[in-house]
Amino acid sequence: MDFDVIVIGGGPGGYVAAIRAAQLGFKTAVVEREALGGICLNWGCIPTKALLKSAELYEQLGHLDAYGLSVTGRAYDFDKVVQRSRGVAKTLTGGVGFLMKKNKIEVIEGTAKLEKGSPAPKVVVALKAGGSRTVQAKHVILATGARARAIPQIGLEPDGDRVWSYREALLPSSNPKSLIVIGSGAIGIEFASFFRALGSEVTVIEALDRILPVEDEEVSKAAHKSFEKRGMKFRVGATVKKLSKSKTGVTIDLEAGGKAESLQADVAIVAVGIVGNVEDLGLEALGVKVEKTHIVVDEHCGTGVAGLYAIGDVAGPPWLAHKASHEGIHTVEHIAGLKPTGLHSPVPGCTYATPQVASVGLTEANAKAAGYEVKVGRYPFKNHGKNIASGETDGFVKTVFDAKTGALLGAHMIGAEVTEMIQGFTIAMTMEATEAELMATCFPHPTMSEAMHEATLDAYGRAIHI
């Protein structure tokens, strides 16, 4: 064997798995066809947050008078905003390269394909530099990620000009005057928030009856209202029938409530989901089961083929970087014969718009549908001292508890910095804390996190500041 572990894909699932393998003494290699860090560091999580930070600061400059401050003029350099985002991505990609060297992980630059072998499939790499290299290991982990879903039959296919995916949206040459975003999940809403903050006229189309449809219904409604205040427009319950392009823009034909409608804009962003990168890996010849473009895995991310595992986006939802990292660590620890970290620990989700949205666990509706009798608590930021002092009063925290056991079933937030707070509820759920432990916890004052305490207290009729 050339290695103990070969990881195919250097994104947040793959490179984290490789580092954990190296820590455990495995001779490890990573095969990467593009850039270390994967979509997350190069075209997703990180560069989008850099863009959103610029947009957030620009918006805040427009409200300085409320804080007793003023500036002369307010402007932005769009090219510098984009280039800062790319610089942030480049810095972190370089950091992953450093971690590979530090942990003595060999990085093989090229495109991998699997062939039958023992004790795990052989990995044949078409090298970037030319030629090919065949390597073998006792264990192979697929972390090939996913890409934006396209629907070419109706024109929803990025062309780099008038129709964008997340890649084109991260590298625009200018800020479009008008923009249509198709899909209101986290990706669509984040780009809508960014471009709207910098002045674009933005319309979001969602096929379901509400935006951010995976979130708790109360959060979705609050987000819709807040985004509309910022000037976004929405078409919910709307099905896109056709997208047509011209030299000057796009036309989208849709149907909503049984009525036909057409919308025009300079550019459209397609954010209608993702598909797993399962093509050209040799999976069919190995007998790996694939459903809806995702590899089917067992409780330890095994594929059913000896020595072959799959983690992250290619292994199915939720399509989140931290879920991929978590699975990578679990898989390597399982390979090592350790008692691995829990594969099905609560996975939080975050949307970094203005306002932010964060959640973990079951929504109120899902908890009831699962047969739970629930106790629900809510606490609005408009009542909260730190939020009032910060001028960030939009939003609330909502908690969902099992009325019989006191277990925290879910937590849902919308407002400033909630993506930094959701980890508190995630830890509580992982440790199986009940309402008693949460209510007995001493939260620091003044902090926005105190709203988490109040929402817990409210579920049991003990809220102090309502």
Side-chain angles (χ1 to χ4, degrees):
M1 295 292 107
D2 301 289
F3 301 95
D4 298 310
V5 175
I6 296 173
V7 182
I8 300 175
Y15 86 74
V16 169
I19 291 173
R20 186 65 182 125
Q23 288 175 343
L24 292 172
F26 291 127
K27 185 180 180 184
T28 306
V30 170
V31 182
E32 174 53 54
R33 68 182 181 182
E34 292 186 30
L36 289 172
I39 295 297
C40 177
L41 268 63
N42 293 281
W43 300 104
C45 318
I46 299 301
T48 55
K49 304 312 164 282
L51 292 179
L52 287 162
K53 183 62 178 180
S54 293
E56 177 190 355
L57 290 173
Y58 181 71
E59 274 195 304
Q60 288 176 345
L61 287 174
H63 303 287
L64 289 182
D65 184 64
Y67 297 87
L69 306 173
S70 65
V71 295
T72 302
R74 184 171 74 111
Y76 61 84
D77 184 322
F78 193 74
D79 185 61
K80 284 185 177 180
V81 169
V82 173
Q83 291 310 311
R84 176 182 178 272
S85 170
R86 301 316 306 157
V88 169
K90 184 178 179 181
T91 297
L92 288 174
T93 300
V96 174
F98 167 77
L99 291 173
M100 297 296 98
K101 292 178 181 178
K102 175 185 174 184
N103 288 281
K104 297 180 174 58
I105 298 165
E106 183 173 345
V107 177
I108 304 172
E109 295 185 339
T111 301
K113 187 169 184 176
L114 302 174
E115 293 184 355
K116 289 184 179 180
S118 180
K122 296 179 182 179
V123 180
V124 181
V125 184
L127 300 171
K128 273 187 181 181
S132 66
R133 178 183 174 188
T134 299
V135 288
Q136 285 187 275
K138 297 174 184 176
H139 310 278
V140 176
I141 300 174
L142 295 172
T144 53
R147 63 188 184 277
R149 180 175 176 236
I151 311 177
Q153 300 92 327
I154 57 173
L156 300 187
E157 186 172 31
D159 64 1
D161 181 23
R162 293 293 172 181
V163 183
W164 297 349
S165 70
Y166 54 81
R167 288 196 179 225
E168 290 82 12
L170 282 166
L171 282 174
S173 58
S174 61
N175 193 25
K177 290 183 179 179
S178 57
L179 176 72
I180 294 173
V181 179
I182 305 168
S184 73
I187 293 173
I189 288 297
E190 287 182 6
F191 279 118
S193 185
F194 168 72
F195 285 105
R196 179 57 198 149
L198 297 187
S200 296
E201 292 295 323
V202 177
T203 300
V204 179
I205 299 174
E206 172 54 55
L208 299 178
D209 61 357
R210 58 189 176 93
I211 67 168
L212 295 172
V214 302
E215 300 294 344
D216 187 89
E217 188 171 353
E218 288 183 57
V219 170
S220 292
K221 289 180 178 179
H224 189 134
K225 184 177 180 180
S226 183
F227 295 149
E228 281 191 329
K229 284 183 180 178
R230 297 179 61 232
M232 290 189 207
K233 298 176 182 178
F234 295 95
R235 297 289 190 277
V236 296
T239 303
V240 174
K241 295 297 184 180
K242 184 180 179 182
L243 184 153
S244 305
K245 297 178 288 186
S246 70
K247 292 182 179 180
T248 57
V250 297
T251 298
I252 296 179
D253 298 325
L254 57 86
E255 183 179 303
K259 296 182 180 179
E261 183 180 357
S262 291
L263 302 176
Q264 288 80 38
D266 295 333
V267 171
I269 294 178
V270 178
V272 291
I274 64 174
V275 294
N277 293 324
V278 295
E279 300 87 355
D280 302 319
L281 284 171
L283 300 180
E284 299 85 354
L286 294 175
V288 175
K289 189 176 181 181
V290 176
E291 290 184 356
K292 297 180 179 179
T293 78
H294 295 95
I295 297 171
V296 177
V297 296
D298 62 22
E299 68 274 16
H300 297 300
C301 297
T303 64
V305 174
L308 184 63
Y309 303 82
I311 63 171
D313 288 357
V314 76
W319 300 289
L320 300 167
H322 44 282
K323 173 256 194 184
S325 299
H326 189 79
E327 288 180 342
I329 291 172
H330 175 98
T331 300
V332 170
E333 291 181 348
H334 170 69
I335 288 170
L338 303 177
K339 183 180 179 181
T341 53
L343 186 60
H344 300 294
S345 299
V347 179
C350 299
T351 302
Y352 298 82
T354 301
Q356 296 179 3
V357 173
S359 61
V360 65
L362 298 176
T363 65
E364 180 181 357
N366 287 343
K368 289 178 178 177
Y372 289 101
E373 179 186 348
V374 299
K375 284 186 176 290
V376 177
R378 301 172 185 82
Y379 186 73
F381 286 129
K382 67 181 182 180
N383 286 22
H384 202 50
K386 180 64 182 293
N387 290 79
I388 294 170
S390 301
E392 303 281 5
T393 56
D394 281 351
F396 58 87
V397 177
K398 177 178 179 178
T399 53
V400 182
F401 289 90
D402 182 347
K404 294 181 179 178
T405 67
L408 178 63
L409 300 175
H412 310 276
M413 306 177 177
I414 177 171
E417 302 305 327
V418 296
T419 59
E420 296 292 339
M421 295 193 288
I422 195 64
Q423 52 81 24
F425 281 132
T426 306
I427 291 171
M429 291 182 68
T430 302
M431 297 182 70
E432 299 182 350
T434 67
E435 91 291 358
E437 286 88 4
L438 285 167
M439 288 195 288
T441 300
C442 185
F443 282 72
H445 173 79
T447 64
M448 294 180 182
S449 67
E450 289 174 285
M452 299 164 63
H453 195 213
E454 289 280 5
T456 299
L457 293 169
D458 184 59
Y460 291 86
R462 290 179 51 183
I464 302 297
H465 294 98
I466 296 180

